[in-house]
Amino acid sequence: MKNLKPFIFLLVVFAIVLSACNKNVHKIVDDPDLPIIGLKNFDDLVVPDDFDWRMIMNSTNTLKDGGFHPGNYHYYPESGYSTLAFEDLWPAKGDYDFNDLVVEYQFRTATDTNNYITEIIGTFIVRAAGAGTKNAFGFELYGLDTAGFIVSGSDLLGSSYISTTDGWEDGQEHPVVIVTDDVTREMPLWSNTQGYHTTHVAPAVYTINITPRAGVYIDLDDFLVNMDNFNPFLIIDFENEGRGREVHKIDYPPTNLADPSFFGQHDDYSSTGSTASLFGASYYRTYKNFPWVLEIPSTVMVPTVDNSVFAYPTEKSDINWAYLHFAEWAESGGVDFGSHPTQWWVNTTSGYRNSLNIYVP
């Protein structure tokens, strides 16, 4: 049997090389702790360039504990992490610097050979907390049956009056997860925004695990996290104001526990209640279509400490001072300066941005 081991080893390596034919390939170094398809202690492993490194890498560009885990993984966003940038003075525009909470996110849904969901993992990387209040962060998932799943990983104080059952927030019509009821436990006030008493700290990472109960089988065709069912939000000044003051992406509705009395106040031009029946519901926008939450897509597959997806404005710098075509993009409903190469937040040529008002780590 021992004499067969070298032969079996060569067959496996040959199969890997054969699968990489007609492709650009590169090598990874020998790592005895990386049990890729059961092989250890080899000098060179040829890997196709289109190999999905998300399966074995974590958020710091290092190998995950336990190495390679074969399975079917489905990602949202598909092309990498996206950034959520919040302005926390809603319903007023405030300083409009969009650095009160800057968080990158990606969901990974794993399925078995029968296409049943085995786990949903949401990774949230907080880059900045340029706020003077203690804010909370959470998200809503439409279409997922909370009775079939358990949530873990939330950062909630034991004294918090956010009530949860199996990790889901109670009192909600749709599934809601509070990732943290106080971002400042991991990211001090004014973190990573430059100026105004800024502190510089490493990004904070939250990992939310959503797993099916024993005996529950949910087909991926019946639920997959996407832009239609993922509704992230900030709870503003949770410590002093409580649970009700939510701010969401433009036209994404509040949860059941939000306080509707804020709509229509100050700069908010939402259409709710009787006005919604006449003009259709709209949420979290000014009369010029300016939002309070930005979502910036990215192709950054694995962000690192120094590899932020979105270069957000410095503290007290209106985003219009940093990105010179933001207003045109917002007022046009995302049409003007919204596509590459004219994209307002990507283009670095003259006339698109003022680097003096953009945060540099």
Side-chain angles (χ1 to χ4, degrees), residues 68-337:
F68 179 71
H69 297 279
N72 296 314
Y73 294 139
H74 312 267
Y75 295 88
Y76 175 71
E78 294 183 1
S79 59
Y81 281 66
S82 283
T83 298
L84 297 166
F86 292 84
E87 174 56 53
D88 75 348
L89 291 178
W90 177 84
K93 282 183 66 178
D95 55 16
Y96 216 57
D97 55 15
F98 283 95
N99 63 30
D100 298 322
L101 179 67
V102 180
V103 56
E104 296 162 356
Y105 78 90
Q106 188 184 71
F107 284 89
R108 184 188 73 181
T109 301
T111 56
D112 61 18
T113 55
N114 295 314
N115 209 41
Y116 293 135
I117 295 173
T118 57
E119 65 176 352
I120 301 172
I121 298 177
T123 302
F124 302 90
I125 305 172
V126 178
R127 295 283 176 179
T133 58
K134 295 182 178 181
N135 299 322
F137 171 68
F139 61 89
E140 189 171 35
L141 285 177
Y142 303 114
L144 189 66
D145 183 6
T146 57
F149 290 85
I150 297 174
V151 179
S152 61
S154 295
D155 177 29
L156 303 176
L157 272 181
S159 59
S160 171
Y161 65 78
I162 290 181
S163 178
T164 63
T165 300
D166 293 332
W168 303 104
E169 187 177 26
D170 295 334
Q172 298 281 15
E173 179 182 359
H174 303 289
V176 170
V177 175
I178 304 300
V179 176
T180 176
D181 59 8
D182 184 1
V183 173
T184 66
R185 278 200 295 274
E186 297 294 333
M187 297 288 286
L189 297 177
W190 313 112
S191 293
N192 301 344
T193 57
Q194 197 163 310
Y196 202 73
H197 308 297
T198 289
T199 57
H200 299 276
V201 298
V205 180
Y206 299 91
T207 303
I208 299 297
N209 296 276
I210 303 173
T211 54
R213 294 178 181 275
V216 173
Y217 303 98
I218 305 296
D219 195 286
L220 187 70
D221 294 335
D222 296 324
F223 182 82
L224 181 63
V225 182
N226 57 46
M227 66 180 297
D228 295 322
N229 58 36
F230 173 58
N231 181 11
F233 58 91
L234 189 71
I235 304 174
I236 301 171
D237 198 6
F238 175 80
E239 181 183 46
N240 295 308
E241 295 189 24
R243 175 63 183 78
R245 192 174 163 202
E246 294 180 2
V247 59
H248 295 244
K249 294 189 297 181
I250 198 166
D251 285 346
Y252 279 71
T255 75
N256 292 95
L257 299 183
D259 183 349
S261 67
F262 289 102
F263 290 115
Q265 303 297 315
H266 299 286
D267 298 306
D268 181 75
Y269 203 65
S270 299
S271 295
T272 60
S274 59
T275 58
S277 63
L278 293 174
F279 305 107
S282 66
Y283 300 97
Y284 302 104
R285 62 169 72 220
T286 72
Y287 79 100
K288 286 189 175 182
N289 287 328
F290 283 23
W292 275 268
V293 184
L294 293 174
E295 177 155 16
I296 307 295
S298 173
T299 57
V300 177
M301 196 59 66
V302 184
T304 63
V305 171
D306 299 318
N307 186 16
S308 181
V309 170
F310 173 53
Y312 50 86
T314 56
E315 184 58 38
K316 303 299 181 183
S317 294
D318 187 305
I319 194 170
N320 292 285
W321 307 344
Y323 291 95
L324 308 183
H325 293 292
F326 173 83
E328 295 156 276
W329 169 80
E331 291 176 15
S332 69
V335 176
D336 295 342
F337 299 97

